[in-house]
């Protein structure tokens, strides 16, 4: 499947991903700047914060339990579409997923 990361400055990075991987892991594997994933996906850091593109919010599903609390710690503004990218697991339906990256994650 394909995931498209859009940086704050509009740069689009399109990467190939494996079904079952998370949006966070895929970013790290492909050196996509803007996703840090400090805690390795255990919902403890909020450095994998991203904004799911409006066209994809339904497909990506709702936030998981505990995601809201962790998002309170995110470095950037939390919006309706904010997600922790380590909690979005790729499925065939998410082929072409577009996520927007916050400015910084520290
Ligand atoms: Fe730490 Fe997602 S990688 S919360």
């Amino acid at each position: 499947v394909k995931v498209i990361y859009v940086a704050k400055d509009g740069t689009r990075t399109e990467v190939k991903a494996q079904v079952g991987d998370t949006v966070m892991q895929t970013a790290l594997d492909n050196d996509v700047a803007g996703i840090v994933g400090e805690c390795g996906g255990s919902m403890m850091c909020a450095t994998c914060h991203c904004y799911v593109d409006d066209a994809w919010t339904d497909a990506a599903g709702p936030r998981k339990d505990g995601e809201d609390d962790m998002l309170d710690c995110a470095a950037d503004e939390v919006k309706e579409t904010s997600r922790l990218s380590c909690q979005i697991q790729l499925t065939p339906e998410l082929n072409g997923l577009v996520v927007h990256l916050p400015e910084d994650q520290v």
Side-chain angles (χ1 to χ4, degrees):
V1 295
K2 225 169 49 177
V3 182
I4 298 149
Y5 297 88
V6 184
K8 189 89 177 183
D9 66 2
T11 313
R12 291 168 74 92
T13 310
E14 194 176 307
V15 302
K16 269 215 173 111
Q18 300 292 329
V19 166
D21 274 0
T22 64
V23 173
M24 180 277 279
Q25 194 56 49
T26 302
L28 296 197
D29 290 349
N30 292 282
D31 293 320
V32 176
I35 300 267
V36 181
E38 211 160 69
C39 76
S42 42
M43 243 205 287
M44 299 287 285
C45 70
T47 61
C48 63
H49 179 201
C50 71
Y51 307 109
V52 174
D53 192 83
D54 289 340
W56 289 93
T57 44
D58 284 348
R63 289 178 195 161
K64 305 250 169 80
D65 277 352
E67 238 184 290
D68 275 314
D69 290 343
M70 205 60 237
L71 280 168
D72 287 344
C73 309
D76 269 87
E77 185 198 352
V78 175
K79 305 180 190 166
E80 283 279 288
T81 55
S82 288
R83 292 294 308 270
L84 294 174
S85 60
C86 66
Q87 300 303 314
I88 307 175
Q89 207 176 22
L90 294 166
T91 59
E93 290 72 47
L94 289 176
N95 185 24
L97 175 70
V98 180
V99 296
H100 299 266
L101 303 169
E103 195 151 23
D104 49 20
Q105 296 275 18
V106 270

